[in-house]
Amino acid sequence: MTTAAPRTPGILDAPPEDAVAWINAAGQHTLAERMGITFQEATPQRLVATMPVAGNTQLYRMLHGGASAVLAESLGSIGAVLHAGEGHIAVGVDLNATHHRAVRTGTVTGVATALHLGRTTATYEVVISDEAGRRVCTARITCAVHGRRGDR
């Protein structure tokens, strides 16, 4: 008789109140940590994270559009993973972003709201705002939901 190797506890094993702490801890040594992204709220329907402008600027010292895209993708991907559930993975397949205004200092906040939570795809609208609440960027991310690679 064979027994399965113990599974490493993951985000789906965490109680809802601990999910944010788990996400932030799991983000260590990743692009999210490098960019200073910190999750504040995380459910399949709504996610919130902040990111500093400092260190995430382009040559003109304005928030880099790619940094906004990273924040949007991070929010949508985590939301899709929460939606997908045990035994599934979610990967981004489409991301678009419209940049509305420049930000030079402070922190931006991204709020991802589920637009579609299906069996094979999850789509989120992400609104990124500055500290004054002004919209900086609007993004949409679609993730494909798959069974774990080992299950194929």
Side-chain angles (χ1 to χ4, degrees), residues 51 63-73 95-103 108-111 125-130 133-140:
M51 181 179 69
L63 181 65
H64 196 293
S68 294
V70 169
L71 179 57
E73 176 114 15
L95 173 68
N96 68 63
T98 301
H99 308 287
H100 305 293
R101 70 173 52 244
V103 181
V108 293
T109 300
V111 178
E125 177 185 54
V126 181
V127 175
I128 300 173
S129 303
D130 65 13
R134 296 174 299 202
R135 190 178 291 225
V136 172
C137 176
T138 304
R140 190 189 73 237

Side-chain angles (χ1 to χ4, degrees), residues 7-71:
R7 190 172 56 79
T8 303
I11 189 173
L12 299 172
D13 298 315
E17 62 275 9
D18 295 337
V20 170
W22 189 96
I23 293 164
N24 288 323
Q28 292 179 349
H29 310 294
T30 68
L31 183 58
E33 179 185 56
R34 180 173 293 238
M35 298 190 72
I37 296 172
T38 303
F39 280 79
Q40 311 294 321
E41 182 182 329
T43 69
Q45 294 78 25
R46 178 183 152 90
L47 300 98
V48 179
T50 59
M51 181 179 69
V53 173
N56 293 316
T57 61
Q58 35 90 319
L59 295 176
Y60 298 118
R61 305 297 185 251
M62 294 183 286
L63 181 65
H64 196 293
S68 294
V70 169
L71 179 57

